[in-house]
Amino acid sequence: MTTHPTAPVPDPLFPDPEAEARWRDRFTAPRVSLPQWAEDAPDRNLYLSNSSGVWEVYAWDRSSDEHRKVTDRPNGTSHCALSPDGERIWWFSDTDGDEFGVWVTEPFTATGDKAEPAVPDVPAAYPAGLGIGAEVVVVGASTDDGTTVYLSRAGGPAEVLYQHANDAGLGALSKDETLVAIAHSEHGDNRHTALRVLTTAGETAAEKWDGPGKGLDAIAFSPVRGDNRLLVMHERRGREELLVWDVASGSETEVVVDLPGEISADWYPEADALLVVHTFRARNTLHRYDLATGALTALETPHGSVGSVGVRPDGAVEYSWSSAARPGVVRVLTASGKDEVLLSPAGHRPPPSAELRDVFVGDVHALVARPEGAPDGPLPTVFSLHGGPHAADEDRFSAYRAVWLDAGFAVVHVNYRGSTGYGSAWRDAIEGRPGLTELEDVAAVHDWAVREGFADPARCVVNGASWGGYLSLLALGTQPERWAAGVAGVPVADYLAAYEDEMEPLRAFDRALFGGSPQEVPERYRLCSPLTYVDEVRAPVLVLAGENDPRCPIRQIDNYLDRLAARGAEYEVYRYDAGHGSLVVAETIAQTAAEVDFVRRRLG
């Protein structure tokens, strides 16, 4: 392992005891994900929670209101599912956050039995979808050899249902367990997948592809047994929309919703309506769409962002929600229209934070915040760049943003080209020139912030994780005059080495993004790699890296740090023994403290 200067972790971060308690309370406050329930036993639920200090799986029996911690692993657990009858819990077992492992299963009830491999014949892999029926189980597995979808009947041995060298994923298993929908990239573009529906006997039942640059994705089959209509996401008109595909007849019905922005959805229990999630300008609203009449009815929810959402068998809509100022909560909108908190874990509530304000610089949407009570005039400013790139910053609560505000920094989020929620053309505009394209938008927002007296041009910090970490390193090398410091969490730093070492689904993503592999278009990878510009970096930089990261592997980060060291550049590194981020609350606190302390020290 290459040795590099290690970033210290301050304790405390703030000299004021109240401020110190406030920022830590936001991270340590118990939180829960939206519960998922067993299809045929809806009183049996699973959710994720950080109540123990590590994100783990919890079982909840609503009939008795009993909660049980299911998993207990040093680096946490993030994937779980329930069998339709609610008798078995499934969770994904990887090693120290490396995302490579197998599905295991154990009883829902607290029997003390140890978890065992769910489908023993399925080898370790990266997860690529899961469908659990009463008799049929379908498991998607991704390795360097491509994607394989396995099928097991009544607990019997696994058989190969689908296999291809190109990236693919299991989309859905029909309620009657006769059909399996697979999103695939056999045409070579996993950013815009096609659909194939197979029978569980292995025969092709139907195919659908909208052509180059227009993706399709399987959301879910109808929840009514014998009704094998498939809800599908499409982008035929330049944004994510919906259609219902009758696989048996081959007919389809587009769901036309007169709303700006993009929509996603899931079924109501009787399959007569859809629960629509509408995303527009970094916020969400919920609606009920009647499939027979086309009527769209708004569901009253607070102003902010909806995370996950689902409809219970009794018609109640359960959803996770937060806003920038108000911490997250799991709520329920009952059939009678009453909206209330559904699940609130024991323990303290996180302190609130500041609202976000919308800014539009040309076509670029940014969300900005200033510390409450801050004096007028320019402030030291953190430009916090989201990961993905197929993601977006939204009006949702963030303990991470709040600590920068508490430390006296203004914060700017940029939904650069490549972000989702703004249409297909905006999302795909980075193809062929990733990184550099996004940074043009970041530069435009930076110019606005300086021109309007929002940001102090001598104290601007570029910061992000994953794709945001990649953009931060690239910005430090290509826009050195703009930045006084940089923080890059789990970044792509040397794109050529990253491509060699990363998981195959990401290599497929890179080929689609760049228009080929490094062997086919080497100059594009070189021009878009932070390593190419490392000698131009002037600002001090902190890099955070996971030793077991399959997405942004450690070797390519060390390559970049070695180049910084060779020229005597100012930098520090924070290494931790996990993968692409951490599910351990104490580790997240330590990393956040190291970041804020690094920037404050380097800015003087």
Side-chain angles (χ1 to χ4, degrees), residues 123-358:
Y126 299 108
L130 177 68
I132 309 173
E135 295 293 328
V136 172
V137 169
V138 190
V139 180
S142 176
T143 68
D144 285 348
D145 296 325
T147 302
T148 304
V149 177
Y150 299 89
L151 183 145
S152 172
R153 304 174 193 275
E159 54 192 80
V160 174
L161 181 68
Y162 172 90
Q163 191 168 43
H164 201 276
N166 287 7
D167 188 38
L170 169 64
L173 172 66
S174 65
K175 180 70 173 177
D176 63 8
E177 303 174 33
T178 64
L179 298 175
V180 176
I182 293 171
H184 68 83
S185 61
E186 294 176 12
H187 53 289
D189 180 2
N190 78 343
R191 286 170 53 85
H192 305 92
T193 53
L195 293 180
R196 178 171 301 145
V197 178
L198 302 172
T199 69
T200 48
E203 299 175 350
T204 298
E207 301 259 11
K208 189 176 290 292
W209 185 41
D210 281 350
K214 296 181 179 179
L216 296 168
D217 198 14
I219 298 173
F221 280 101
S222 162
V224 176
R225 188 176 299 275
D227 175 9
N228 285 339
R229 291 176 298 165
L230 180 64
L231 182 60
V232 174
M233 184 283 295
H234 73 87
E235 46 184 324
R236 295 170 178 174
R237 288 180 290 274
R239 63 174 188 157
E240 292 186 355
E241 297 179 276
L242 305 166
L243 62 85
V244 177
W245 181 19
D246 188 323
V247 175
S249 69
S251 64
E252 63 175 47
T253 303
E254 290 191 6
V255 177
V256 179
V257 174
D258 186 18
L259 292 172
E262 298 187 321
I263 59 174
S264 60
D266 205 349
W267 298 93
Y268 268 80
E270 302 301 321
D272 58 345
L274 300 176
L275 175 61
V276 172
V277 181
H278 168 232
T279 300
F280 182 60
R281 292 182 174 176
R283 295 167 182 87
N284 309 118
T285 55
L286 298 181
H287 306 260
R288 185 184 189 277
Y289 179 85
D290 188 290
L291 287 167
T293 66
L296 187 70
T297 304
L299 305 180
E300 294 300 323
T301 58
H303 183 72
S305 293
V306 173
S308 302
V309 62
V311 189
R312 296 272 296 175
D314 63 0
V317 175
E318 296 180 356
Y319 64 101
S320 58
W321 174 92
S322 75
S323 70
R326 297 170 60 189
V329 68
V330 174
R331 306 187 66 88
V332 57
L333 184 62
T334 66
S336 63
K338 186 177 181 181
D339 190 5
E340 58 191 14
V341 174
L342 169 70
L343 186 59
S344 183
H348 67 276
R349 290 284 294 157
S353 188
E355 297 277 5
L356 286 170
R357 178 166 65 92
D358 295 281

Side-chain angles (χ1 to χ4, degrees), residues 36 73-74 84 135 170 194 215 223 228 236 252 276 353 360 365 385 389 401 433 464 496-497 513 532 551 557 565 574:
Q36 54 174 294
R73 306 196 306 144
E135 295 293 328
L170 169 64
N228 285 339
R236 295 170 178 174
E252 63 175 47
V276 172
S353 188
F360 293 89
H365 183 202
L385 309 182
R401 179 197 312 119
R433 193 173 174 267
L496 293 175
L513 190 61
T532 301
R551 298 172 182 267
I557 292 175
Y574 184 111

Side-chain angles (χ1 to χ4, degrees), residues 4 10 22 36 55 89 154 303 321 324 349 366 393 429 436-437 497 541 567 599:
H4 296 294
R22 184 170 61 247
Q36 54 174 294
W55 283 95
I89 295 170
H303 183 72
W321 174 92
R349 290 284 294 157
D393 278 310
L436 300 174
T437 302
V541 57
R567 53 180 285 253
V599 170

Side-chain angles (χ1 to χ4, degrees), residues 13-14 19-31 50 55 322-328 348-354 356 384 394 396-407 411 413 585 588-589 591-593 595-596:
L13 180 60
F14 294 97
E20 179 68 15
R22 184 170 61 247
W23 89 267
R24 290 179 180 272
D25 281 350
R26 291 196 186 98
F27 283 97
T28 59
R31 288 172 286 164
N50 70 335
W55 283 95
S322 75
S323 70
R326 297 170 60 189
H348 67 276
R349 290 284 294 157
S353 188
L356 286 170
S384 185
E394 294 183 322
R396 64 178 68 249
F397 191 77
S398 167
Y400 181 77
R401 179 197 312 119
V403 71
W404 286 106
L405 294 171
D406 284 352
V411 177
H413 301 287
V585 174
T588 303
I589 289 174
Q591 291 182 23
T592 303
E595 293 183 31
V596 177

Side-chain angles (χ1 to χ4, degrees), residues 466-467 469-471 473 490-495 498 502 530 551-552 556:
S466 191
W467 194 263
Y470 158 65
L471 292 178
L473 292 184
V490 291
V492 175
D494 172 359
Y495 226 124
E502 68 192 6
R551 298 172 182 267
C552 298
Q556 53 94 28

